[in-house]
Amino acid sequence: MSPAPSPKTRIRDYFFIIAGVYLMAFAIVSFWQPHYLVTGGVSGLAIIVEDYTTRMGFTVPLWATNIVLNIPLFLLGFKTMGKSFFVRSLFGTVLFSVAMHNMAFLPPVPSDILLGSLFGGVICGIGVALIIRGMASTGGSVLLASILHNKLLRHISTGKILFACDFAVVLVGMVAFGPERAMYAAIAIFVCTKVADAVLEGFSFAKAAYIISNESEAIANAVMKEVNRGVTELTARGMYTKEKRGMLMCVVSGRELVRLKQVVYGVDKNAFIIVAEVREVLGEGFTAHSM
């Protein structure tokens, strides 16, 4: 059993949830809803419901639809969720409706439909990442996908079910508002997903250099002294020569890569270097580990 999070960690996680929820609500109410961009989930259905009821002479606001549709999902899904995740997700879902209610009093941000989809996607993506970082969700299609996977469709991954649920909502939005707005909604979904991934994975784009050389000992000493980075030796075996030799691994910043190459080739001009992208680095000399 994993240890319970400390009070400091819980406070930080709830701060992330609150900030993320309000960013999501701002993106939906101020950027997407004015342009009728249905991006999936319960919030997408809420936009359709609000427009349909308004044309009938009364209005069901976004926050009300979010609460009403999430109640049965939480009643069905509480057994499939861990206690901590359930409590945080319930908190996030209720707060999401409160945030959309509060945001309804703000005027929409002036923008054309393309800017609305792009900036809404960026803001929503940051919000989604913060909520996930806080170990929670805002219910909706994520919770529905989890319920369907655990109760009916165990042979299908939760991710695929989630995609199907959101895709179905987007199709309903296309019927309601036309294919053009559905295409802009697809842009918003793409931007939101990419931004959320970038925030979760980190922005510290470093480089991992793998160095194969007969002078690995001398190269390692030179790198540690002149680049001031740690070096790890891995055992590698060339399948053509069948010879074992040391392969050095060193993680450096983008600025340090040029200096690293100079140092390596200063020792062995025949060295073989492989450079790979590193999304995030935690530890001494890079980003502090804050979990």
Side-chain angles (χ1 to χ4, degrees), residues 106-134:
L106 298 176
V109 176
S111 63
D112 61 31
I113 189 170
L114 179 59
L115 289 177
S117 64
L118 292 175
F119 278 88
V122 171
I123 295 170
C124 187
I126 297 172
V128 168
L130 290 176
I131 293 169
I132 294 173
R133 184 65 181 77

mmCIF file of all heavy atoms in Angstrom, residues 106-134:
data_model
loop_
_atom_site.group_PDB
_atom_site.id
_atom_site.type_symbol
_atom_site.label_atom_id
_atom_site.label_comp_id
_atom_site.label_asym_id
_atom_site.label_seq_id
_atom_site.Cartn_x
_atom_site.Cartn_y
_atom_site.Cartn_z
ATOM 1 N N LEU A 106 -19.090 36.912 -17.152
ATOM 2 C CA LEU A 106 -18.045 37.636 -17.859
ATOM 3 C C LEU A 106 -18.394 37.730 -19.340
ATOM 4 O O LEU A 106 -18.966 36.798 -19.912
ATOM 5 C CB LEU A 106 -16.700 36.916 -17.714
ATOM 6 C CG LEU A 106 -16.132 36.783 -16.300
ATOM 7 C CD1 LEU A 106 -14.838 35.966 -16.342
ATOM 8 C CD2 LEU A 106 -15.871 38.146 -15.682
ATOM 9 N N PRO A 107 -18.063 38.842 -19.985
ATOM 10 C CA PRO A 107 -18.301 38.919 -21.435
ATOM 11 C C PRO A 107 -17.350 37.981 -22.163
ATOM 12 O O PRO A 107 -16.212 37.774 -21.728
ATOM 13 C CB PRO A 107 -17.998 40.387 -21.765
ATOM 14 C CG PRO A 107 -17.049 40.821 -20.686
ATOM 15 C CD PRO A 107 -17.461 40.075 -19.457
ATOM 16 N N PRO A 108 -17.786 37.371 -23.281
ATOM 17 C CA PRO A 108 -16.888 36.498 -24.033
ATOM 18 C C PRO A 108 -15.695 37.279 -24.573
ATOM 19 O O PRO A 108 -15.800 38.466 -24.875
ATOM 20 C CB PRO A 108 -17.771 35.960 -25.171
ATOM 21 C CG PRO A 108 -18.878 36.963 -25.298
ATOM 22 C CD PRO A 108 -19.112 37.489 -23.906
ATOM 23 N N VAL A 109 -14.567 36.608 -24.655
ATOM 24 C CA VAL A 109 -13.362 37.248 -25.188
ATOM 25 C C VAL A 109 -13.551 37.458 -26.686
ATOM 26 O O VAL A 109 -13.831 36.517 -27.414
ATOM 27 C CB VAL A 109 -12.119 36.377 -24.930
ATOM 28 C CG1 VAL A 109 -10.890 37.007 -25.569
ATOM 29 C CG2 VAL A 109 -11.913 36.182 -23.434
ATOM 30 N N PRO A 110 -13.422 38.710 -27.169
ATOM 31 C CA PRO A 110 -13.606 38.951 -28.612
ATOM 32 C C PRO A 110 -12.568 38.185 -29.432
ATOM 33 O O PRO A 110 -11.374 38.315 -29.203
ATOM 34 C CB PRO A 110 -13.404 40.470 -28.754
ATOM 35 C CG PRO A 110 -13.578 41.012 -27.373
ATOM 36 C CD PRO A 110 -13.117 39.952 -26.437
ATOM 37 N N SER A 111 -13.034 37.359 -30.342
ATOM 38 C CA SER A 111 -12.117 36.598 -31.182
ATOM 39 C C SER A 111 -12.901 36.005 -32.333
ATOM 40 O O SER A 111 -14.111 35.794 -32.240
ATOM 41 C CB SER A 111 -11.448 35.466 -30.389
ATOM 42 O OG SER A 111 -12.417 34.526 -29.943
ATOM 43 N N ASP A 112 -12.198 35.737 -33.448
ATOM 44 C CA ASP A 112 -12.877 34.998 -34.510
ATOM 45 C C ASP A 112 -12.827 33.522 -34.153
ATOM 46 O O ASP A 112 -12.217 33.114 -33.158
ATOM 47 C CB ASP A 112 -12.244 35.284 -35.877
ATOM 48 C CG ASP A 112 -10.778 34.878 -35.955
ATOM 49 O OD1 ASP A 112 -10.387 33.901 -35.272
ATOM 50 O OD2 ASP A 112 -10.021 35.530 -36.692
ATOM 51 N N ILE A 113 -13.465 32.697 -34.963
ATOM 52 C CA ILE A 113 -13.635 31.297 -34.594
ATOM 53 C C ILE A 113 -12.301 30.560 -34.538
ATOM 54 O O ILE A 113 -12.101 29.672 -33.692
ATOM 55 C CB ILE A 113 -14.638 30.605 -35.560
ATOM 56 C CG1 ILE A 113 -14.979 29.200 -35.039
ATOM 57 C CG2 ILE A 113 -14.105 30.572 -36.970
ATOM 58 C CD1 ILE A 113 -16.126 28.560 -35.798
ATOM 59 N N LEU A 114 -11.352 30.909 -35.417
ATOM 60 C CA LEU A 114 -10.054 30.237 -35.405
ATOM 61 C C LEU A 114 -9.272 30.581 -34.146
ATOM 62 O O LEU A 114 -8.731 29.694 -33.470
ATOM 63 C CB LEU A 114 -9.250 30.606 -36.649
ATOM 64 C CG LEU A 114 -7.849 29.981 -36.743
ATOM 65 C CD1 LEU A 114 -7.922 28.462 -36.712
ATOM 66 C CD2 LEU A 114 -7.127 30.468 -38.002
ATOM 67 N N LEU A 115 -9.217 31.880 -33.818
ATOM 68 C CA LEU A 115 -8.520 32.274 -32.592
ATOM 69 C C LEU A 115 -9.194 31.684 -31.363
ATOM 70 O O LEU A 115 -8.531 31.293 -30.406
ATOM 71 C CB LEU A 115 -8.467 33.801 -32.491
ATOM 72 C CG LEU A 115 -7.536 34.521 -33.468
ATOM 73 C CD1 LEU A 115 -7.659 36.032 -33.296
ATOM 74 C CD2 LEU A 115 -6.099 34.074 -33.269
ATOM 75 N N GLY A 116 -10.530 31.616 -31.390
ATOM 76 C CA GLY A 116 -11.255 31.025 -30.276
ATOM 77 C C GLY A 116 -10.887 29.565 -30.081
ATOM 78 O O GLY A 116 -10.692 29.099 -28.951
ATOM 79 N N SER A 117 -10.788 28.816 -31.184
ATOM 80 C CA SER A 117 -10.436 27.398 -31.073
ATOM 81 C C SER A 117 -8.995 27.226 -30.600
ATOM 82 O O SER A 117 -8.705 26.359 -29.775
ATOM 83 C CB SER A 117 -10.647 26.697 -32.411
ATOM 84 O OG SER A 117 -9.781 27.218 -33.411
ATOM 85 N N LEU A 118 -8.080 28.085 -31.102
ATOM 86 C CA LEU A 118 -6.670 27.950 -30.747
ATOM 87 C C LEU A 118 -6.401 28.357 -29.298
ATOM 88 O O LEU A 118 -5.818 27.599 -28.520
ATOM 89 C CB LEU A 118 -5.809 28.799 -31.684
ATOM 90 C CG LEU A 118 -5.741 28.333 -33.143
ATOM 91 C CD1 LEU A 118 -4.962 29.345 -33.984
ATOM 92 C CD2 LEU A 118 -5.096 26.958 -33.248
ATOM 93 N N PHE A 119 -6.833 29.572 -28.925
ATOM 94 C CA PHE A 119 -6.554 30.049 -27.567
ATOM 95 C C PHE A 119 -7.363 29.276 -26.534
ATOM 96 O O PHE A 119 -6.883 29.017 -25.432
ATOM 97 C CB PHE A 119 -6.822 31.549 -27.468
ATOM 98 C CG PHE A 119 -5.689 32.386 -27.980
ATOM 99 C CD1 PHE A 119 -5.604 32.740 -29.315
ATOM 100 C CD2 PHE A 119 -4.682 32.810 -27.131
ATOM 101 C CE1 PHE A 119 -4.552 33.495 -29.805
ATOM 102 C CE2 PHE A 119 -3.618 33.571 -27.597
ATOM 103 C CZ PHE A 119 -3.558 33.910 -28.942
ATOM 104 N N GLY A 120 -8.587 28.906 -26.898
ATOM 105 C CA GLY A 120 -9.355 28.053 -25.999
ATOM 106 C C GLY A 120 -8.666 26.719 -25.788
ATOM 107 O O GLY A 120 -8.636 26.191 -24.672
ATOM 108 N N GLY A 121 -8.081 26.164 -26.852
ATOM 109 C CA GLY A 121 -7.363 24.901 -26.730
ATOM 110 C C GLY A 121 -6.151 25.003 -25.833
ATOM 111 O O GLY A 121 -5.880 24.108 -25.019
ATOM 112 N N VAL A 122 -5.405 26.099 -25.963
ATOM 113 C CA VAL A 122 -4.223 26.293 -25.118
ATOM 114 C C VAL A 122 -4.621 26.395 -23.649
ATOM 115 O O VAL A 122 -4.054 25.714 -22.774
ATOM 116 C CB VAL A 122 -3.445 27.551 -25.547
ATOM 117 C CG1 VAL A 122 -2.345 27.877 -24.530
ATOM 118 C CG2 VAL A 122 -2.835 27.356 -26.935
ATOM 119 N N ILE A 123 -5.612 27.238 -23.358
ATOM 120 C CA ILE A 123 -6.023 27.444 -21.967
ATOM 121 C C ILE A 123 -6.628 26.181 -21.391
ATOM 122 O O ILE A 123 -6.326 25.779 -20.254
ATOM 123 C CB ILE A 123 -7.016 28.619 -21.887
ATOM 124 C CG1 ILE A 123 -6.320 29.918 -22.289
ATOM 125 C CG2 ILE A 123 -7.600 28.744 -20.478
ATOM 126 C CD1 ILE A 123 -7.261 31.091 -22.483
ATOM 127 N N CYS A 124 -7.479 25.518 -22.165
ATOM 128 C CA CYS A 124 -8.097 24.281 -21.678
ATOM 129 C C CYS A 124 -7.044 23.199 -21.471
ATOM 130 O O CYS A 124 -7.116 22.432 -20.499
ATOM 131 C CB CYS A 124 -9.162 23.807 -22.662
ATOM 132 S SG CYS A 124 -10.138 22.403 -22.070
ATOM 133 N N GLY A 125 -6.059 23.121 -22.363
ATOM 134 C CA GLY A 125 -5.005 22.119 -22.218
ATOM 135 C C GLY A 125 -4.217 22.298 -20.934
ATOM 136 O O GLY A 125 -3.904 21.325 -20.243
ATOM 137 N N ILE A 126 -3.905 23.542 -20.600
ATOM 138 C CA ILE A 126 -3.209 23.806 -19.335
ATOM 139 C C ILE A 126 -4.091 23.382 -18.157
ATOM 140 O O ILE A 126 -3.624 22.764 -17.194
ATOM 141 C CB ILE A 126 -2.829 25.291 -19.224
ATOM 142 C CG1 ILE A 126 -1.837 25.671 -20.334
ATOM 143 C CG2 ILE A 126 -2.239 25.603 -17.852
ATOM 144 C CD1 ILE A 126 -1.555 27.160 -20.423
ATOM 145 N N GLY A 127 -5.389 23.711 -18.251
ATOM 146 C CA GLY A 127 -6.309 23.331 -17.186
ATOM 147 C C GLY A 127 -6.419 21.825 -17.015
ATOM 148 O O GLY A 127 -6.386 21.306 -15.889
ATOM 149 N N VAL A 128 -6.543 21.108 -18.121
ATOM 150 C CA VAL A 128 -6.628 19.642 -18.062
ATOM 151 C C VAL A 128 -5.379 19.058 -17.406
ATOM 152 O O VAL A 128 -5.453 18.161 -16.562
ATOM 153 C CB VAL A 128 -6.821 19.059 -19.477
ATOM 154 C CG1 VAL A 128 -6.626 17.542 -19.470
ATOM 155 C CG2 VAL A 128 -8.208 19.396 -20.006
ATOM 156 N N ALA A 129 -4.207 19.567 -17.800
ATOM 157 C CA ALA A 129 -2.959 19.066 -17.237
ATOM 158 C C ALA A 129 -2.887 19.307 -15.726
ATOM 159 O O ALA A 129 -2.444 18.433 -14.970
ATOM 160 C CB ALA A 129 -1.772 19.731 -17.931
ATOM 161 N N LEU A 130 -3.322 20.476 -15.285
ATOM 162 C CA LEU A 130 -3.297 20.767 -13.851
ATOM 163 C C LEU A 130 -4.237 19.850 -13.078
ATOM 164 O O LEU A 130 -3.904 19.382 -11.978
ATOM 165 C CB LEU A 130 -3.672 22.226 -13.611
ATOM 166 C CG LEU A 130 -2.640 23.274 -14.054
ATOM 167 C CD1 LEU A 130 -3.192 24.677 -13.842
ATOM 168 C CD2 LEU A 130 -1.330 23.096 -13.309
ATOM 169 N N ILE A 131 -5.408 19.577 -13.646
ATOM 170 C CA ILE A 131 -6.359 18.683 -12.976
ATOM 171 C C ILE A 131 -5.794 17.270 -12.878
ATOM 172 O O ILE A 131 -5.891 16.613 -11.839
ATOM 173 C CB ILE A 131 -7.708 18.688 -13.720
ATOM 174 C CG1 ILE A 131 -8.375 20.054 -13.583
ATOM 175 C CG2 ILE A 131 -8.638 17.603 -13.168
ATOM 176 C CD1 ILE A 131 -9.574 20.244 -14.485
ATOM 177 N N ILE A 132 -5.197 16.793 -13.963
ATOM 178 C CA ILE A 132 -4.573 15.471 -13.930
ATOM 179 C C ILE A 132 -3.419 15.464 -12.931
ATOM 180 O O ILE A 132 -3.224 14.487 -12.189
ATOM 181 C CB ILE A 132 -4.080 15.075 -15.335
ATOM 182 C CG1 ILE A 132 -5.274 14.905 -16.280
ATOM 183 C CG2 ILE A 132 -3.267 13.781 -15.278
ATOM 184 C CD1 ILE A 132 -4.886 14.670 -17.725
ATOM 185 N N ARG A 133 -2.654 16.555 -12.912
ATOM 186 C CA ARG A 133 -1.543 16.661 -11.956
ATOM 187 C C ARG A 133 -2.057 16.621 -10.526
ATOM 188 O O ARG A 133 -1.360 16.145 -9.621
ATOM 189 C CB ARG A 133 -0.797 17.968 -12.215
ATOM 190 C CG ARG A 133 0.441 18.165 -11.357
ATOM 191 C CD ARG A 133 1.498 17.124 -11.678
ATOM 192 N NE ARG A 133 2.670 17.294 -10.835
ATOM 193 C CZ ARG A 133 2.741 16.919 -9.559
ATOM 194 N NH1 ARG A 133 1.709 16.326 -8.984
ATOM 195 N NH2 ARG A 133 3.844 17.105 -8.862
ATOM 196 N N GLY A 134 -3.274 17.103 -10.306
ATOM 197 C CA GLY A 134 -3.885 17.047 -8.992
ATOM 198 C C GLY A 134 -4.572 15.726 -8.700
ATOM 199 O O GLY A 134 -5.280 15.608 -7.696
#
